[in-house]
Each structure stands twice: as C-alpha cells, then as structure tokens.
C-alpha cells in the first residue's frame, strides 16, 4: 500500500526536520569524501571498520524516522505525536555521521604523519634542508598539529561545539595534506640531489685513489733511483 502524505508538505516532515535532513545530507557527503581519502592514503588501502559501523548506525536512525513518518496507515501531516521521536533520531543520525568523519580524519592523520616522517627520514638531513629550506618549520608544525589533533579527539564528544571542532580538525588535516604533497613534489629533486652527491663522492674517491697510486709509483721510482745511485758507488 502506498501512503501519500496529506497537506502542502509532500515530504511529510516539518520545516525544522527538513532543515536537519539537509544538514545531515550535506554532512554525509563531506564525511564520505573524508572516508574515501582516508582509505586512499592508508598504507594498506584498508577500510576503517569503525566508520562503516557509524554510518550503519546513522542509517538505522534515519530509517526509524522514515518508518515513523511513512509507516502508518493513519499518517496525517500535523499529527506531531512522533515529533520528539524524530528529533531525537535525527540528532543521533547526525552524531553518528560526525563520528564517522572524525574516525576518517583520525585514520588520515595517522597515515599522513607516517608518510611524511618516512619521506623525511628516507633522505639525509643535509639533502632535505637544501631542497626544503622550510624543513624545520614543517617539523615544528607537525609537533603543533599533534597537540591540536589530540585536543580535537578530546573535545569531539564534549559540549555543543562539535561543528567548530570538526571544522578545525579538517583545517589541520589540510595542512598535513599540503606537507605530504610538498614532499611528494620534492622527491625527484631529493633523489637527484643524492645521485649527484654520490657521483661527487665517487669522483673524489677516484681522485684520491689515483693520487695514492701516483704517489706510490713516484715513491717507488725515487726509491729505485736512490738504490741505483748507491749501487753505482
């Protein structure tokens, strides 16, 4: 049986509920992108089971709302008996999507931090400082971000400022993404730098060997000459 909502609002939701649903949809689309990126930068390209669970729970609350609004034969717009129920479940759905986004951000931070540190440690400090003059700024900023991110994790379930904490978390992750991109861009130059240094060292070593050989030959000739002079007398 198809249940057709009555009244001007064909969606069967109040204006406040529609506003919340729009916020939920917008948040979900952003969270989805964060989750996909988190999986992309994961060293093993793994999915985070916790984000999947949070999205599943959010969907469960959303379906409860749909059932409440459209699952009754007696459905009539304006019957607000289920308004509080829908409000609570909408808030819970939004909360689960926020947590899925936070979990994705946590995974992204862990992966990017590991990639950045490994990239920096893969090259001699001298090479990194020559190619990336802002090396120390990056190191210092990484430590600051570690503190910020710890604060984000502590605050995400406290108070009503979750949106503010979420936005700041995203900004900090964007800084990490920028660092990572900068290192990827600098990798060819770093590799070339190491190669050139290796050739210079090889050339210097070869010169030292040649000088040593020449010195030994000259020394031998001098000794032979001296022996010959002594023998002549």
């Amino acid at each position: 049986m198809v249940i057709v909502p009555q009244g001007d609002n064909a969606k069967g939701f109040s204006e406040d509920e529609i506003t919340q649903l729009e916020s939920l949809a917008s948040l979900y689309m952003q969270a989805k992108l964060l989750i996909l990126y988190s999986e992309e930068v994961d060293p093993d390209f793994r999915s985070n089971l916790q984000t999947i669970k949070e999205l599943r729970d959010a969907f469960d609350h959303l379906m409860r709302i749909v059932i409440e609004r459209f699952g009754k034969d007696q459905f009539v717009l304006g019957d607000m008996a289920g308004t509080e129920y829908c409000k609570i479940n909408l808030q819970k759905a939004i909360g689960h999507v926020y947590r899925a986004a936070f979990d994705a951000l946590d995974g992204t931070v862990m992966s990017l931090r590991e990639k950045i540190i490994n990239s920096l440690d893969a090259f001699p400090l001298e090479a990194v400082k020559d190619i990336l003059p802002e090396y120390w700024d990056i190191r210092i900023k990484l430590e600051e971000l570690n503190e910020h991110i710890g604060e984000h994790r502590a605050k995400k379930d406290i108070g009503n400022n979750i949106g503010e904490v979420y936005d700041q978390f995203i900004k900090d992750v964007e800084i990490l993404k920028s660092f990572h991109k900068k290192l990827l861009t600098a990798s060819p130059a770093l590799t070339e730098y190491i190669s050139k240094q290796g050739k210079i060292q090889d050339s210097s070593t070869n010169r030292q060997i040649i000088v040593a050989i020449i010195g030994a030959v000259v020394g031998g000739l001098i000794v032979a000459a001296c022996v010959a002079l002594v023998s002549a007398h």
Side-chain angles (χ1 to χ4, degrees), residues 4-24:
V4 180
Q6 300 177 19
D8 295 332
N9 187 350
K11 295 182 179 180
F13 296 107
S14 69
E15 292 299 323
D16 287 343
E17 289 168 348
I18 290 173
T19 299
Q20 282 191 296
L21 285 168
E22 289 173 345
S23 297
L24 175 61

Side-chain angles (χ1 to χ4, degrees), residues 147-160:
E147 295 179 6
H148 289 176
I149 289 164
E151 292 173 0
H152 300 331
R153 288 171 176 161
K155 292 178 179 178
K156 68 181 182 180
D157 291 322
I158 300 175
N160 298 318

